Amino acid sequence: LAQLKVGFYKTSCPRAESIVKAAVQKRFNTDKSITAALLRMHFHDCFVRGCDASILIDSTNQSRSEKESGPNLTVRGYELIDEAKKALEKVCPSKVSCADIITLATRDSVVLAGGPSYDVPTGRRDGRVSNINEVNLPGPSLSVSQAFQSFKDKGLTMDDMVTLLGGHTVGVAHCFFFSGRLTNFQGTGKPDPSMDAGLVTTLKGICGNGSNPTAFLDQGTSFSFDNEFYRQIRGKKGVMKIDQELADDRLSSGIVSRFASNANLFRTRFAQAMVKMGNIQVLVGNAGEIRKNCRVIN
């Protein structure tokens, strides 16, 4: 983390972090699901070209951006980042990067949901490339070892992966991401045997009407940032296949057990893993730029 530092904007834009925080607080007051949305945006940004806000760039007639790829069609919260950026540009123009806004806003939303507070090293710069063809994110139907390959490629450990997926404690998923587990699992004509029967019934009720609604990934404390997710997957209540596999696969089950029984350990590790993820392939110094509008390259 040598290149990023906590308090990077202390002299160039002293109110930077409080301005971002105010925008997040305002949104959280009316929409508690913004925490899950920002966690997802941050993750999807960092896993493609590093944490450079390339996910925020809009497509043009010449090129289709990351936003248009399948996994990113359900990413939301862009207008919150725009709002924070607009407020920052008024106070200190061309100083605070969109990449740092995503990172700070995600942290602030985690705290509001009851999660750990942690210092975010800042100083990222914004990327100038966003290409739909570069989006290759680990999907919900992968096995633990397949998903881990993506995390390992980014310098993250198995412990980091299991920790970061704990963000699903405030998450939702659209039915099409898990409906294959509810009825004809892998052509068996039956639900996935690794899913609790009561949960199967509940999810069928949510997903049965032909549209594509969302279900909570943590059926217990859906808007609270806690370790309940790990307790649920230990009881066969993982909604997405990858979530359930974390509890069942020997590569990850021990970590799941530790987090399920120790809420403080999870909080501590989550803060550490988020800082580590936020450092993936960052642009610093004179690389990239500070975008004036997060949706458009200067």
Side-chain angles (χ1 to χ4, degrees):
L1 286 171
Q3 299 163 300
L4 302 180
K5 65 176 193 184
V6 174
F8 180 83
Y9 296 109
K10 203 152 60 180
T11 48
S12 64
C13 187
R15 289 174 52 209
E17 296 203 18
S18 57
I19 287 169
V20 173
K21 191 176 186 176
V24 176
Q25 178 79 63
K26 183 180 158 203
R27 177 66 180 270
F28 186 84
N29 291 344
T30 59
D31 175 15
K32 304 256 183 299
S33 73
I34 192 63
T35 305
L38 288 171
L39 278 165
R40 191 152 179 255
M41 179 194 287
H42 188 25
F43 171 64
H44 284 214
D45 180 44
C46 291
F47 267 59
V48 182
R49 288 191 161 262
C51 311
D52 67 344
S54 53
I55 195 168
L56 302 178
I57 297 172
D58 285 338
S59 293
T60 63
N61 292 336
Q62 286 76 41
S63 66
R64 295 175 72 200
S65 70
E66 291 172 27
K67 271 185 184 173
E68 287 198 52
S69 69
N72 287 338
L73 294 175
T74 46
V75 170
R76 56 191 188 82
Y78 296 119
E79 64 300 319
L80 166 58
I81 304 297
D82 291 339
E83 198 178 309
K85 180 63 174 171
K86 198 171 158 190
L88 285 162
E89 284 298 304
K90 273 194 188 124
V91 179
C92 22
S94 297
K95 287 283 186 283
V96 182
S97 69
C98 303
D100 278 341
I101 297 172
I102 296 176
T103 316
L104 291 165
T106 303
R107 185 269 313 271
D108 294 337
S109 73
V110 165
V111 174
L112 288 169
S117 181
Y118 50 95
D119 287 332
V120 169
T122 42
R124 293 164 192 77
R125 289 171 62 86
D126 298 322
R128 298 174 53 83
V129 177
S130 183
N131 180 346
I132 185 173
N133 299 318
E134 292 185 350
V135 179
N136 179 23
L137 294 154
S141 59
L142 297 182
S143 68
V144 170
S145 53
Q146 287 169 328
F148 177 52
Q149 197 51 56
S150 295
F151 285 78
K152 195 174 155 193
D153 290 346
K154 304 294 176 197
L156 299 169
T157 64
M158 177 64 74
D159 198 296
D160 293 329
M161 179 176 95
V162 178
T163 304
L164 291 166
L165 286 173
H168 286 171
T169 187
V170 289
V172 296
H174 287 264
C175 287
F176 67 74
F177 283 120
F178 58 83
S179 53
R181 300 184 67 205
L182 304 180
T183 46
N184 186 20
F185 179 64
Q186 294 180 349
T188 57
K190 299 189 184 91
D192 184 339
S194 71
M195 186 185 281
D196 172 78
L199 180 59
V200 172
T201 306
T202 303
L203 295 176
K204 276 182 179 171
I206 294 169
C207 300
N209 60 4
S211 66
N212 183 28
T214 59
F216 290 113
L217 298 178
D218 169 348
Q219 300 279 307
T221 53
S222 307
F223 290 115
S224 295
F225 198 96
D226 54 25
N227 67 333
E228 178 65 23
F229 167 77
Y230 297 105
R231 293 213 278 270
Q232 295 208 358
I233 61 179
R234 291 198 75 200
K236 291 183 168 259
K237 291 187 177 169
V239 173
M240 293 201 294
K241 185 169 171 281
I242 183 63
D243 291 349
Q244 191 52 54
E245 296 225 345
L246 290 177
D248 298 340
D249 192 304
R250 60 181 183 77
L251 292 171
S252 49
S253 59
I255 305 166
V256 168
S257 300
R258 285 200 294 281
F259 289 154
S261 60
N262 189 336
N264 283 333
L265 175 67
F266 169 56
R267 291 171 69 84
T268 304
R269 280 293 297 120
F270 190 79
Q272 292 166 343
M274 286 297 285
V275 170
K276 193 169 169 186
M277 183 180 83
N279 194 43
I280 294 173
Q281 293 166 278
V282 289
L283 299 172
V284 290
N286 295 319
E289 62 182 21
I290 304 291
R291 270 181 241 145
K292 292 183 178 67
N293 171 347
C294 290
R295 294 171 180 263
V296 186
I297 294 156
N298 291 347

